[in-house]
Amino acid sequence: MEAVNLLSSNKYTEKQIGYLFISVLISEESDLIKLIMQAIKNDLNSRNPVYICLALQCISNIGSKEMAEYLGSDIPRLLVSGDTIDSVKQSAALCLLRLYRTNPEVLPSGEWTSRIIHLLNDQHLGVVTAANSLIDALVKKSPEEYKACVPLAVSRLSRIVSSTYTDLQDYTYYFVPAPWLCVKLLRLLQNYPPPDDPSVRSRLNECLETILNKAQEPPKSKKVQHSNAKNAVLFEAISLIIHLDIEPNLLVRGCNQLGQFLSHRETNLRYLALESMCLLATSEFSHDAVKKHQETVVNALKNERDVSVRQRAVDLLYAVCDRSNAEEIVAEMLNYLETADYSIREEMVLKVAILAEKYAVDYTWYVDVILNLIRIAGDYVSEEVWYRVIQIVVNREDVQGYAAKTVFEALQAPACHENMVKVGGYILGEFGNLIAGDPRSSPIVQFQLLHSKYHLCSPGTRSLLLSTYVKYINLFPEIKSQLQETLYSDTNLRSSDVEIQQRAVEYLKLSSVASPDVLATVLEEMPHFPERESSILAKLKKKKPNLEEAATVRESRHGTMPPMQIQTPVGGAVSDDLLNLGSSPTSPQAPAMTNGSAPDSLLDIFGSHASTMANMVSNGVVPGTFATADNFDKLVTKNSGVLFENDLIQLGIRCEYHGSQGRITLFYGNKTSTALQAFLPELPNHAALAGKLTMEMQPIDSFVASGAQVQQTISVTCITDFDHVPRLHLQLVYSGAQQRVEIRLPITLNKFVLGVEMDSNTFFGRWKNLGNPGQEAQKIFKAKYAMDTELAKQKLLGFGISLLERVDPNPDNFCGAGIIQTVSMQIGVLYRFEPNKQAQMYRLTVRASKDTAAQRICELMEEQF
């Protein structure tokens, strides 16, 4: 109570002691708070600036919610009053910031907004520094309300960076003018997209260029404080350049400046340079510039003493990796993995696995990489990694034999990790027959090799090996007795592990009582795995969400190969899509049709067959035979399904797109009881597609047996944007009569779009940048189908352009962004899709960096709704 009484004293020393006691020893939950608030309010209303500052400092130290509610109206008044001296304004700004963090409602909006923003023009730099901290906090909650701070911040920044250290002597720190204020202003500007006003944008670019130029000047002092202040401003300027992402020259210059720090003797500078370059690698303008420093980064990985810097080097290699340097980077990461710190090994294993899968051209290389991962860091190879390699091997017929041979050789090592045994057990159990012809890997040799590891493994791995043994009984009847003897052994039949015991009993009984046909049916080869998102990537996102998001944005912007997916191939065909990193919805695939089987239809994954009927040309066939459901419109937003079907044939299609390249696989199924002869699919030349789209068709046999299915591959390259649809002319002879049909192929411009993720500020900033005449196409049209929100989302996701959540202020609207990847250029595309359910109307607006692309995307999207 004595301390409370001291607050009412007119002597400075007594009042100071009272405030000091209360600030240090009284918490915001104390009952005395209510007693002292009136005394504090009296001091705030006094004319003595010293008393006012003591009161503000006390409020800041305690910062209770009750104080915010009781005194919240007095502090903004002090802050913006023309009679308040500069030192009081500084204290008031910082005190208000403290209360705002406690209770965001303490600061009224409206007239206070503009008055607080204009503190950035105050002549006293101390007031500007304190006000900048307050505005930065306010902007994060209400960016639109405080948007007027951008030109004022740019103006103030320009005055500081263009001044010399003699102009601002009171705020110059080791020859660097007002470094703390510069950093705060640069951070404030990172809350907004590039300024719309050309003069403000130009002035901001001049500021950033000046900062980069000053960083190249010889140091004015050898003291570390000078370099620290100078580099602090430089790194924050580069962060703003990365955030704006509109000036290629500034991005490249920033990258080159950071590259000089990669070999700096200061560990902190090396760390910050690597961290910033990870962000620069996400920009389409500076990605190539970052790649030029790849050798330096690799050297840092090998020679750096600080583990945190090595970890940033790994992050940067992961960020700059693309199809051109994937093998080199993966090899370097594997080499480093052998001596890497244990704390980063698991993360490195995930990154190597993702890069190997994402950029694999030759999937034998992918298998080698994963097996090397298991050999080098088997303890850190999670289940997700070895599950994934099995999924890929099962889904790719062209790599199965190589995988079996490679894993068999790996198992021959004296010291073999248990994860290698798991992979070897599964792959050899499924595909060991592919290498059984070699005496060195005969069935008995394979079995003996696997069983030599059996007693060293955990119960889970033993259970997997028992499944391999029963698979061998089906694949290799000649060693059935040895396998049954193993199953019959006491270590299995009387195992303390229930799972092992149950498997041994059931497998032994199955192999004894089942006929060869039943055994073959039960133990047939595993079916292809369905399409799914890679669990490896999901695990890495949990560990490093920001890094993975940056890598994804970089791929979308820069046009590197898109992610791959595991798919169930139609007719047992090979699929190149391994890793689904995008957000496109999965769908079941068409089942296989094998020779000699009943030629049932390829499963129509889109629902009913008939929506519209198209009359095709037919000669010598009963009228109506070539009348068919046209699934072209549905396949604009889907990559697989039944494209065409009539009484004679069924045509399935699967499409895979990587950048400007595409591979179309057609599956022709003969539904008749007789052979189809003179079977000739052709791609006629189309003048409207010349120089825009190139297609090469793989030749196929002209004879299609009854009930058989043949497949044909078409390689597609998008040279530039196009607005016509290629067509397939199909000729065949059935029962002596020639038939012809023309089919539209669902190769449309949106197939070459790679989705881009961005937040609301970035989206609308780029939307305004694409506001030139001709860059926008808009259509207002009546809904053709029921206006279902979820169905609309599925169609928009299938269209290839990212569907951006919580971007448009109207939650009923949809926004999206993407990059059309062609050989000649990359075309940015944005859309806003506005449904009006009451009027049953849509308004669709598409903006693109090329006018013809905007028009074509708009037309394609309109047809879907």
Side-chain angles (χ1 to χ4, degrees):
M1 287 300 298
E2 188 62 31
V4 175
N5 293 332
L6 289 175
L7 297 185
S8 304
S9 173
N10 289 325
K11 292 184 177 180
Y12 169 75
T13 54
E14 293 178 357
K15 190 180 288 288
Q16 183 187 35
I17 291 171
Y19 274 120
L20 181 61
F21 180 88
I22 291 170
S23 299
V24 174
L25 298 180
I26 294 183
S27 67
E28 59 182 83
E29 292 85 11
S30 174
D31 295 334
L32 295 176
I33 291 292
K34 294 179 181 179
L35 298 176
I36 65 175
M37 283 197 296
Q38 185 58 47
I40 293 175
K41 189 177 184 70
N42 292 336
D43 284 337
L44 287 178
N45 294 325
S46 72
R47 293 185 174 274
N48 189 327
V50 176
Y51 293 173
I52 297 174
C53 286
L54 284 173
L56 290 171
Q57 290 165 9
C58 179
I59 297 170
S60 299
N61 284 326
I62 299 175
S64 67
K65 191 170 184 180
E66 291 181 354
M67 277 188 169
E69 294 172 351
Y70 187 70
L71 305 170
S73 60
D74 297 315
I75 301 172
R77 175 181 51 78
L78 285 171
L79 179 61
V80 299
S81 172
D83 299 331
T84 307
I85 65 172
D86 294 333
S87 60
V88 173
K89 284 185 178 181
Q90 284 180 262
S91 298
L94 297 176
C95 180
L96 195 56
L97 174 60
R98 173 69 171 88
L99 294 182
Y100 177 78
R101 290 170 177 168
T102 302
N103 180 14
E105 306 302 323
V106 67
L107 190 64
S109 57
E111 60 176 325
W112 294 103
T113 301
S114 61
R115 299 176 74 179
I116 290 175
I117 289 174
H118 277 82
L119 289 174
L120 293 175
N121 271 338
D122 198 280
Q123 294 182 348
H124 193 276
L125 289 189
V127 174
V128 178
T129 305
N132 191 101
S133 298
L134 174 62
I135 294 170
D136 189 53
L138 297 172
V139 160
K140 287 178 170 55
K141 183 184 177 185
S142 307
E144 287 299 319
E145 188 176 356
Y146 289 89
K147 194 173 183 179
C149 72
V150 173
L152 297 181
V154 172
S155 174
R156 174 62 73 176
L157 180 66
S158 175
R159 280 178 277 168
I160 295 173
V161 299
S162 60
S163 64
T164 63
Y165 66 91
T166 56
D167 296 335
L168 302 170
Q169 289 187 356
D170 291 341
Y171 288 89
T172 296
Y173 179 78
Y174 286 88
F175 303 99
V176 181
W180 290 279
L181 179 54
C182 280
V183 168
K184 286 178 179 289
L185 290 168
L186 290 166
R187 285 185 179 172
L188 176 62
L189 292 171
Q190 290 176 48
N191 292 303
Y192 290 100
D196 296 329
D197 188 334
S199 61
V200 176
R201 182 184 297 188
S202 174
R203 193 171 186 183
L204 177 58
N205 290 338
E206 289 175 4
C207 292
L208 296 173
E209 286 180 358
T210 303
I211 293 172
L212 293 176
N213 291 336
K214 286 188 174 182
Q216 298 287 348
E217 295 176 358
K220 295 181 173 63
S221 172
K222 293 183 179 180
K223 293 190 175 182
V224 69
Q225 291 91 337
H226 171 72
S227 61
N228 284 346
K230 188 177 177 181
N231 291 332
V233 176
L234 173 63
F235 277 107
E236 207 59 54
I238 291 175
S239 294
L240 178 58
I241 291 170
I242 296 170
H243 169 77
L244 298 176
D245 194 23
I246 56 171
E247 292 294 331
N249 180 49
L250 289 177
L251 286 162
V252 173
R253 286 193 61 189
C255 178
N256 294 335
Q257 186 70 45
L258 292 173
Q260 298 176 16
F261 291 130
L262 293 179
S263 303
H264 201 279
R265 59 185 178 86
E266 279 291 328
T267 304
N268 287 339
L269 286 179
R270 296 196 301 274
Y271 179 93
L272 292 171
L274 289 167
E275 189 174 49
S276 298
M277 290 183 83
C278 284
L279 297 175
L280 275 172
T282 67
S283 171
E284 59 183 312
F285 303 119
S286 57
H287 180 74
D288 289 336
V290 177
K291 282 174 64 177
K292 293 178 182 178
H293 299 282
Q294 180 179 319
E295 185 177 350
T296 307
V297 179
V298 170
N299 290 333
L301 191 65
K302 294 176 180 178
N303 305 321
E304 179 61 52
R305 291 174 294 177
D306 191 295
V307 62
S308 60
V309 178
R310 292 199 298 272
Q311 190 165 3
R312 291 289 80 77
V314 171
D315 290 343
L316 181 53
L317 288 176
Y318 179 79
V320 301
C321 188
D322 56 27
R323 187 156 303 262
S324 66
N325 59 5
E327 292 193 17
E328 183 181 353
I329 286 179
V330 167
E332 292 292 351
M333 293 176 77
L334 281 174
N335 289 336
Y336 173 63
L337 188 57
E338 297 194 38
T339 57
D341 297 84
Y342 296 112
S343 59
I344 65 173
R345 284 196 176 192
E346 183 181 5
E347 183 183 322
M348 283 196 66
V349 166
L350 293 175
K351 288 176 178 175
V352 171
I354 289 171
L355 293 179
E357 186 176 353
K358 189 187 299 185
Y359 299 115
V361 177
D362 179 1
Y363 289 94
T364 59
W365 171 74
Y366 168 75
V367 172
D368 289 338
V369 169
I370 300 301
L371 294 184
N372 268 332
L373 271 183
I374 297 174
R375 178 184 60 82
I376 295 170
D379 290 338
Y380 300 92
V381 175
S382 61
E383 288 185 342
E384 290 87 352
V385 175
W386 73 265
Y387 285 174
R388 195 64 177 165
V389 70
I390 286 174
Q391 293 169 6
I392 291 168
V393 171
V394 168
N395 282 38
R396 291 197 60 92
E397 294 180 359
D398 59 337
V399 82
Q400 290 165 0
Y402 179 82
K405 178 177 180 293
T406 306
V407 78
F408 175 78
E409 293 171 351
L411 287 171
Q412 293 176 346
C416 188
H417 195 275
E418 188 170 342
N419 281 337
M420 186 73 77
V421 179
K422 292 177 182 177
V423 175
Y426 194 104
I427 291 178
L428 291 178
E430 294 293 326
F431 312 113
N433 59 308
L434 300 178
I435 61 171
D438 189 337
R440 294 170 296 180
S441 55
S442 63
I444 190 63
V445 174
Q446 291 184 39
F447 165 63
Q448 290 172 348
L449 179 61
L450 284 174
H451 199 56
S452 66
K453 317 291 183 184
Y454 184 84
H455 300 289
L456 304 174
C457 296
S458 65
T461 306
R462 291 185 187 185
S463 299
L464 186 150
L465 289 178
L466 290 180
S467 298
T468 301
Y469 297 163
V470 77
K471 288 268 188 176
Y472 275 180
I473 291 176
N474 177 49
L475 291 175
F476 311 123
E478 64 270 24
I479 61 169
K480 180 177 180 179
S481 58
Q482 293 96 318
L483 293 164
Q484 287 180 325
E485 183 180 342
T486 301
L487 294 172
Y488 191 74
S489 65
D490 287 346
T491 54
N492 293 323
L493 285 182
R494 298 183 180 181
S495 172
S496 59
D497 186 276
V498 176
E499 180 69 22
I500 293 176
Q501 186 183 114
Q502 183 177 354
R503 289 196 187 205
V505 172
E506 292 178 355
Y507 292 162
L508 184 61
K509 196 66 174 177
L510 177 65
S511 65
S512 302
V513 302
S515 66
D517 291 341
V518 173
L519 194 65
T521 302
V522 174
L523 300 175
E524 66 181 354
E525 186 177 304
M526 285 291 290
H528 293 278
F529 287 92
E531 180 184 335
R532 67 189 65 183
E533 182 179 4
S534 171
S535 55
I536 308 176
L537 186 70
K539 188 167 185 177
L540 182 61
K541 283 180 179 177
K542 290 179 182 178
K543 294 177 71 68
K544 286 288 188 71
N546 294 335
L547 174 67
E548 187 52 41
E549 181 181 351
T552 304
V553 171
R554 189 262 301 166
E555 287 174 15
S556 301
R557 290 174 176 170
H558 192 65
T560 55
M561 277 295 186
M564 298 175 283
Q565 303 170 346
I566 282 191
Q567 296 183 346
T568 306
V570 181
V574 175
S575 167
D576 277 339
D577 277 348
L578 302 180
L579 180 58
N580 178 16
L581 304 187
S583 57
S584 57
T586 62
S587 59
Q589 304 295 316
M593 247 174 58
T594 57
N595 293 345
S597 64
D600 244 351
S601 67
L602 292 165
L603 179 64
D604 183 357
I605 65 174
F606 306 106
S608 65
H609 279 287
S611 57
T612 59
M613 301 299 289
N615 292 320
M616 303 297 180
V617 179
S618 62
N619 297 323
V621 177
V622 178
T625 296
F626 280 92
T628 179
D630 184 2
N631 282 325
F632 172 88
D633 287 339
K634 295 178 181 178
L635 288 167
V636 169
T637 59
K638 297 179 183 290
N639 282 336
S640 59
V642 175
L643 175 61
F644 171 86
E645 186 174 17
N646 62 20
D647 294 341
L648 303 182
I649 64 169
Q650 183 182 64
L651 175 57
I653 186 170
R654 187 181 71 247
C655 309
E656 298 166 13
Y657 294 90
H658 306 295
S660 60
Q661 308 294 318
R663 187 173 76 174
I664 316 300
T665 307
L666 302 175
F667 302 91
Y668 305 97
N670 182 356
K671 298 175 61 177
T672 70
S673 56
T674 60
L676 301 178
Q677 299 178 344
F679 194 88
L680 181 61
E682 292 180 313
L683 293 172
N685 293 328
H686 199 307
L689 294 175
K692 298 181 178 180
L693 193 73
T694 62
M695 295 187 291
E696 295 182 5
M697 176 182 280
Q698 173 192 6
I700 60 171
D701 196 343
S702 61
F703 179 88
V704 183
S706 170
Q709 179 184 359
V710 296
Q711 71 179 52
Q712 184 175 38
T713 301
I714 303 174
S715 298
V716 182
T717 302
C718 181
I719 307 300
T720 185
D721 62 299
F722 57 97
D723 55 6
H724 284 72
V725 176
R727 297 175 181 266
L728 174 73
H729 288 182
L730 178 61
Q731 301 180 44
L732 58 94
V733 174
Y734 170 68
S735 298
Q738 188 177 43
Q739 318 296 331
R740 295 188 182 90
V741 64
E742 182 179 274
I743 304 167
R744 293 183 299 167
L745 293 175
I747 303 174
T748 49
L749 186 59
N750 65 293
K751 299 292 186 178
F752 300 93
V753 173
L754 196 59
V756 178
E757 296 294 331
M758 58 181 67
D759 58 21
S760 178
N761 289 336
T762 305
F763 177 87
F764 286 106
R766 299 196 176 191
W767 182 266
K768 291 177 181 177
N769 291 340
L770 295 174
N772 296 333
Q775 291 184 321
E776 178 179 289
Q778 187 176 84
K779 289 183 179 290
I780 300 174
F781 54 94
K782 193 79 174 175
K784 294 185 289 185
Y785 309 104
M787 298 182 72
D788 184 280
T789 301
E790 290 304 315
L791 183 60
K793 283 185 178 181
Q794 291 180 14
K795 286 186 176 182
L796 292 170
L797 285 169
F799 206 76
I801 305 176
S802 288
L803 180 60
L804 304 178
E805 299 286 347
R806 295 183 295 276
V807 166
D808 198 294
N810 187 341
D812 293 332
N813 296 345
F814 302 97
C815 295
I819 301 287
I820 303 174
Q821 301 184 97
T822 71
V823 172
S824 60
M825 68 178 72
Q826 294 186 20
I827 305 169
V829 58
L830 305 172
Y831 75 78
R832 292 185 73 188
F833 189 57
E834 302 166 84
N836 185 336
K837 292 186 178 180
Q838 292 182 343
Q840 290 292 296
M841 299 282 288
Y842 290 107
R843 180 168 68 179
L844 171 64
T845 309
V846 178
R847 291 187 179 182
S849 53
K850 189 175 181 184
D851 54 351
T852 52
Q855 188 65 37
R856 181 54 179 161
I857 292 294
C858 192
E859 292 170 356
L860 289 169
M861 294 184 72
E862 180 191 11
E863 292 169 2
Q864 297 299 312
F865 298 91

